Amino acid sequence: MAIRILRDSAGAQRAMVLAGAALVGVFVLTALLAPVLAPHGYAQLQDGGVLYGSQQRPGGGHPLGTTVTGYDVLSRTLWGARTALLVILLAVTLSLAGGVLLGLVAGYVGGRLDRVLVGVADAMYAFPSLLLAILVAIVVSHGRSSLTGGLAAAAVSVTVVFVPQYLRVVRAEVVRVKAEAFVDAARVIGAGHGRIMFRHVLRNSVRSLPVVVTVNASEAILTLAGLGFLGFGIEPNSAAEWGYDLNKAVPDVTAGIWWTAVPPGIAIVLTVLGITLIGESLSDLTDPRLRRRAA
């Protein structure tokens, strides 16, 4: 797919693809290599029995300084990429599994079941996504917990927010595809409903999902950061999380201490920007009205 995207893009659109791929590549590599790249542990407060100290300026053994609680800022930022990547993978996987299945059933079966599922999805849209994520996080792990519980809470929170999106997208495609002639032909030759749904309808109803996945991946990072910033994230001694670090850095900004807030903030912005650039490029290339090919 990556080769096809580059082949079909040109000019500014190709620049967007390359820039987005570079930013996402750096994010993924940082997440995977965090134990090697980080000079200290995400919850490490001392070295050789000597405390790092609170709000130390960048320099020496702390290139980006230390936080108000005495953590190394660079290490927390690098380890935070791993937490964000895990939440993205869990949330997108759960959202896809639930939303695609529900959308397939709603669009293919139709009738009262379709109206009920669409009504529930519309009702969930009435809630602000972050508020819904907070409520789910409180129910799952009482707002704050260990790495496993915190990741599960964040992933489930994002999943509950995104499942209605996948349901609506897949349902619309299923309603269109099930009226095609090849579906009627499969029905005539005696194919069962399960075979028609998964073999013929589903495989032709997921072409627009890559665009939705990229959009939701960036929203997952923002939701995770929002939960952490509001105090419903992961405990700092269980994992590093950018939103939590930003929350603790708010008082520092007014005191002229910039190094505790800038690194995690830039990490969030660049990661979301990279994923968004790829998503916008996919959207343009999958829409014939927006596609621009090289001469």
Side-chain angles (χ1 to χ4, degrees), residues 109-141:
V109 176
R112 180 176 298 178
L113 178 62
D114 180 32
R115 292 193 296 271
V116 170
L117 290 176
V118 172
V120 172
D122 291 340
M124 294 176 66
Y125 272 128
F127 290 91
S129 59
L130 184 57
L131 176 59
L132 185 60
I134 291 174
L135 294 176
V136 175
I138 293 175
V139 171
V140 173
S141 65

Short mmCIF file of all heavy atoms in Angstrom, two decimals, residues 109-141:
data_model
loop_
_atom_site.label_atom_id
_atom_site.label_comp_id
_atom_site.label_asym_id
_atom_site.label_seq_id
_atom_site.Cartn_x
_atom_site.Cartn_y
_atom_site.Cartn_z
N VAL A 109 -28.37 -7.40 7.99
CA VAL A 109 -29.66 -7.89 8.52
C VAL A 109 -30.74 -6.84 8.33
O VAL A 109 -31.87 -7.15 7.92
CB VAL A 109 -29.51 -8.26 10.01
CG1 VAL A 109 -30.87 -8.66 10.60
CG2 VAL A 109 -28.51 -9.39 10.17
N GLY A 110 -30.42 -5.56 8.64
CA GLY A 110 -31.40 -4.49 8.48
C GLY A 110 -32.53 -4.60 9.49
O GLY A 110 -32.41 -5.23 10.53
N GLY A 111 -33.64 -3.97 9.19
CA GLY A 111 -34.83 -4.06 10.02
C GLY A 111 -34.66 -3.44 11.39
O GLY A 111 -33.96 -2.45 11.58
N ARG A 112 -35.30 -4.05 12.38
CA ARG A 112 -35.30 -3.50 13.73
C ARG A 112 -33.91 -3.51 14.35
O ARG A 112 -33.53 -2.57 15.04
CB ARG A 112 -36.27 -4.30 14.60
CG ARG A 112 -36.34 -3.82 16.04
CD ARG A 112 -37.39 -4.59 16.82
NE ARG A 112 -38.73 -4.38 16.26
CZ ARG A 112 -39.83 -4.97 16.74
NH1 ARG A 112 -39.72 -5.81 17.78
NH2 ARG A 112 -41.00 -4.73 16.19
N LEU A 113 -33.14 -4.58 14.11
CA LEU A 113 -31.78 -4.65 14.66
C LEU A 113 -30.94 -3.50 14.14
O LEU A 113 -30.18 -2.89 14.91
CB LEU A 113 -31.14 -5.99 14.30
CG LEU A 113 -29.70 -6.19 14.77
CD1 LEU A 113 -29.64 -6.15 16.30
CD2 LEU A 113 -29.15 -7.52 14.25
N ASP A 114 -31.07 -3.19 12.88
CA ASP A 114 -30.32 -2.08 12.29
C ASP A 114 -30.71 -0.76 12.95
O ASP A 114 -29.85 0.05 13.31
CB ASP A 114 -30.60 -2.03 10.79
CG ASP A 114 -29.86 -0.90 10.10
OD1 ASP A 114 -28.74 -0.55 10.55
OD2 ASP A 114 -30.40 -0.33 9.13
N ARG A 115 -32.00 -0.55 13.15
CA ARG A 115 -32.45 0.70 13.76
C ARG A 115 -31.96 0.83 15.20
O ARG A 115 -31.58 1.91 15.65
CB ARG A 115 -33.98 0.78 13.71
CG ARG A 115 -34.55 0.95 12.31
CD ARG A 115 -36.02 1.34 12.36
NE ARG A 115 -36.83 0.29 12.95
CZ ARG A 115 -37.38 -0.71 12.27
NH1 ARG A 115 -37.19 -0.80 10.96
NH2 ARG A 115 -38.12 -1.61 12.88
N VAL A 116 -31.93 -0.29 15.93
CA VAL A 116 -31.47 -0.26 17.33
C VAL A 116 -29.99 0.07 17.39
O VAL A 116 -29.56 0.93 18.18
CB VAL A 116 -31.76 -1.61 18.02
CG1 VAL A 116 -31.06 -1.67 19.38
CG2 VAL A 116 -33.25 -1.81 18.18
N LEU A 117 -29.17 -0.60 16.58
CA LEU A 117 -27.73 -0.37 16.60
C LEU A 117 -27.39 1.05 16.17
O LEU A 117 -26.54 1.71 16.79
CB LEU A 117 -27.02 -1.39 15.70
CG LEU A 117 -27.03 -2.84 16.19
CD1 LEU A 117 -26.39 -3.76 15.17
CD2 LEU A 117 -26.32 -2.95 17.52
N VAL A 118 -28.04 1.53 15.13
CA VAL A 118 -27.78 2.89 14.67
C VAL A 118 -28.25 3.89 15.73
O VAL A 118 -27.59 4.92 15.96
CB VAL A 118 -28.49 3.15 13.33
CG1 VAL A 118 -28.39 4.63 12.94
CG2 VAL A 118 -27.86 2.29 12.24
N GLY A 119 -29.37 3.61 16.38
CA GLY A 119 -29.85 4.51 17.44
C GLY A 119 -28.88 4.58 18.61
O GLY A 119 -28.63 5.66 19.15
N VAL A 120 -28.33 3.43 18.99
CA VAL A 120 -27.34 3.42 20.08
C VAL A 120 -26.10 4.21 19.67
O VAL A 120 -25.54 4.98 20.47
CB VAL A 120 -26.97 1.98 20.47
CG1 VAL A 120 -25.80 1.96 21.45
CG2 VAL A 120 -28.17 1.26 21.07
N ALA A 121 -25.65 4.02 18.42
CA ALA A 121 -24.48 4.76 17.95
C ALA A 121 -24.74 6.26 17.95
O ALA A 121 -23.88 7.06 18.35
CB ALA A 121 -24.11 4.28 16.54
N ASP A 122 -25.93 6.67 17.51
CA ASP A 122 -26.28 8.09 17.52
C ASP A 122 -26.33 8.64 18.94
O ASP A 122 -25.93 9.79 19.20
CB ASP A 122 -27.62 8.31 16.83
CG ASP A 122 -27.54 8.07 15.33
OD1 ASP A 122 -26.41 8.11 14.79
OD2 ASP A 122 -28.59 7.84 14.71
N ALA A 123 -26.83 7.83 19.87
CA ALA A 123 -26.90 8.28 21.27
C ALA A 123 -25.50 8.48 21.84
O ALA A 123 -25.26 9.43 22.60
CB ALA A 123 -27.67 7.25 22.10
N MET A 124 -24.56 7.61 21.46
CA MET A 124 -23.19 7.75 21.94
C MET A 124 -22.53 8.99 21.36
O MET A 124 -21.68 9.61 21.99
CB MET A 124 -22.38 6.49 21.60
CG MET A 124 -22.86 5.26 22.35
SD MET A 124 -21.98 3.75 21.87
CE MET A 124 -20.34 4.14 22.49
N TYR A 125 -22.92 9.36 20.13
CA TYR A 125 -22.39 10.58 19.51
C TYR A 125 -22.83 11.82 20.28
O TYR A 125 -22.20 12.88 20.18
CB TYR A 125 -22.85 10.69 18.07
CG TYR A 125 -21.95 10.00 17.07
CD1 TYR A 125 -22.48 9.10 16.16
CD2 TYR A 125 -20.59 10.27 17.04
CE1 TYR A 125 -21.66 8.46 15.25
CE2 TYR A 125 -19.77 9.63 16.13
CZ TYR A 125 -20.30 8.73 15.24
OH TYR A 125 -19.50 8.10 14.33
N ALA A 126 -23.94 11.71 21.02
CA ALA A 126 -24.44 12.88 21.75
C ALA A 126 -23.52 13.26 22.91
O ALA A 126 -23.55 14.39 23.37
CB ALA A 126 -25.85 12.61 22.27
N PHE A 127 -22.71 12.31 23.38
CA PHE A 127 -21.78 12.59 24.47
C PHE A 127 -20.46 13.11 23.91
O PHE A 127 -19.96 12.57 22.91
CB PHE A 127 -21.51 11.32 25.29
CG PHE A 127 -22.67 10.86 26.11
CD1 PHE A 127 -23.59 9.97 25.59
CD2 PHE A 127 -22.83 11.31 27.41
CE1 PHE A 127 -24.67 9.53 26.35
CE2 PHE A 127 -23.90 10.88 28.17
CZ PHE A 127 -24.83 10.00 27.64
N PRO A 128 -19.87 14.11 24.53
CA PRO A 128 -18.51 14.52 24.14
C PRO A 128 -17.56 13.34 24.30
O PRO A 128 -17.62 12.62 25.31
CB PRO A 128 -18.18 15.66 25.12
CG PRO A 128 -19.52 16.16 25.57
CD PRO A 128 -20.43 14.97 25.59
N SER A 129 -16.69 13.13 23.33
CA SER A 129 -15.84 11.95 23.33
C SER A 129 -14.95 11.86 24.56
O SER A 129 -14.78 10.79 25.14
CB SER A 129 -15.00 11.92 22.05
OG SER A 129 -14.19 13.09 21.97
N LEU A 130 -14.37 12.99 24.97
CA LEU A 130 -13.49 12.96 26.13
C LEU A 130 -14.26 12.66 27.41
O LEU A 130 -13.78 11.92 28.28
CB LEU A 130 -12.73 14.28 26.26
CG LEU A 130 -11.69 14.36 27.39
CD1 LEU A 130 -10.65 13.25 27.23
CD2 LEU A 130 -11.02 15.72 27.41
N LEU A 131 -15.47 13.22 27.54
CA LEU A 131 -16.30 12.94 28.71
C LEU A 131 -16.66 11.47 28.77
O LEU A 131 -16.61 10.84 29.84
CB LEU A 131 -17.56 13.80 28.67
CG LEU A 131 -18.59 13.56 29.79
CD1 LEU A 131 -17.96 13.80 31.15
CD2 LEU A 131 -19.82 14.42 29.58
N LEU A 132 -17.01 10.90 27.62
CA LEU A 132 -17.33 9.48 27.58
C LEU A 132 -16.11 8.64 27.95
O LEU A 132 -16.22 7.64 28.68
CB LEU A 132 -17.83 9.11 26.18
CG LEU A 132 -18.33 7.68 25.99
CD1 LEU A 132 -19.50 7.40 26.92
CD2 LEU A 132 -18.74 7.46 24.53
N ALA A 133 -14.93 9.05 27.48
CA ALA A 133 -13.70 8.33 27.81
C ALA A 133 -13.42 8.41 29.31
O ALA A 133 -12.98 7.42 29.92
CB ALA A 133 -12.53 8.90 27.02
N ILE A 134 -13.67 9.56 29.93
CA ILE A 134 -13.45 9.70 31.37
C ILE A 134 -14.37 8.76 32.14
O ILE A 134 -13.95 8.09 33.10
CB ILE A 134 -13.67 11.16 31.79
CG1 ILE A 134 -12.56 12.06 31.23
CG2 ILE A 134 -13.72 11.28 33.31
CD1 ILE A 134 -12.78 13.53 31.48
N LEU A 135 -15.64 8.72 31.75
CA LEU A 135 -16.60 7.85 32.44
C LEU A 135 -16.18 6.38 32.33
O LEU A 135 -16.24 5.64 33.32
CB LEU A 135 -18.00 8.05 31.84
CG LEU A 135 -18.64 9.42 32.07
CD1 LEU A 135 -19.98 9.50 31.34
CD2 LEU A 135 -18.84 9.68 33.56
N VAL A 136 -15.74 5.98 31.14
CA VAL A 136 -15.31 4.59 30.96
C VAL A 136 -14.06 4.31 31.77
O VAL A 136 -13.92 3.24 32.39
CB VAL A 136 -15.08 4.29 29.47
CG1 VAL A 136 -14.51 2.89 29.29
CG2 VAL A 136 -16.37 4.44 28.68
N ALA A 137 -13.11 5.27 31.79
CA ALA A 137 -11.88 5.08 32.57
C ALA A 137 -12.18 4.91 34.05
O ALA A 137 -11.56 4.10 34.74
CB ALA A 137 -10.94 6.26 32.34
N ILE A 138 -13.14 5.68 34.56
CA ILE A 138 -13.50 5.57 35.97
C ILE A 138 -14.12 4.21 36.26
O ILE A 138 -13.82 3.56 37.27
CB ILE A 138 -14.48 6.70 36.36
CG1 ILE A 138 -13.77 8.06 36.28
CG2 ILE A 138 -15.04 6.47 37.75
CD1 ILE A 138 -14.69 9.24 36.52
N VAL A 139 -14.97 3.74 35.35
CA VAL A 139 -15.62 2.45 35.55
C VAL A 139 -14.60 1.31 35.47
O VAL A 139 -14.63 0.37 36.28
CB VAL A 139 -16.73 2.24 34.50
CG1 VAL A 139 -17.26 0.81 34.56
CG2 VAL A 139 -17.85 3.24 34.72
N VAL A 140 -13.68 1.39 34.50
CA VAL A 140 -12.73 0.30 34.29
C VAL A 140 -11.69 0.22 35.38
O VAL A 140 -11.39 -0.86 35.91
CB VAL A 140 -12.06 0.44 32.91
CG1 VAL A 140 -10.95 -0.59 32.73
CG2 VAL A 140 -13.10 0.29 31.80
N SER A 141 -11.08 1.35 35.73
CA SER A 141 -9.96 1.30 36.67
C SER A 141 -10.02 2.38 37.75
O SER A 141 -9.00 2.70 38.35
CB SER A 141 -8.64 1.42 35.91
OG SER A 141 -8.55 2.70 35.31
#
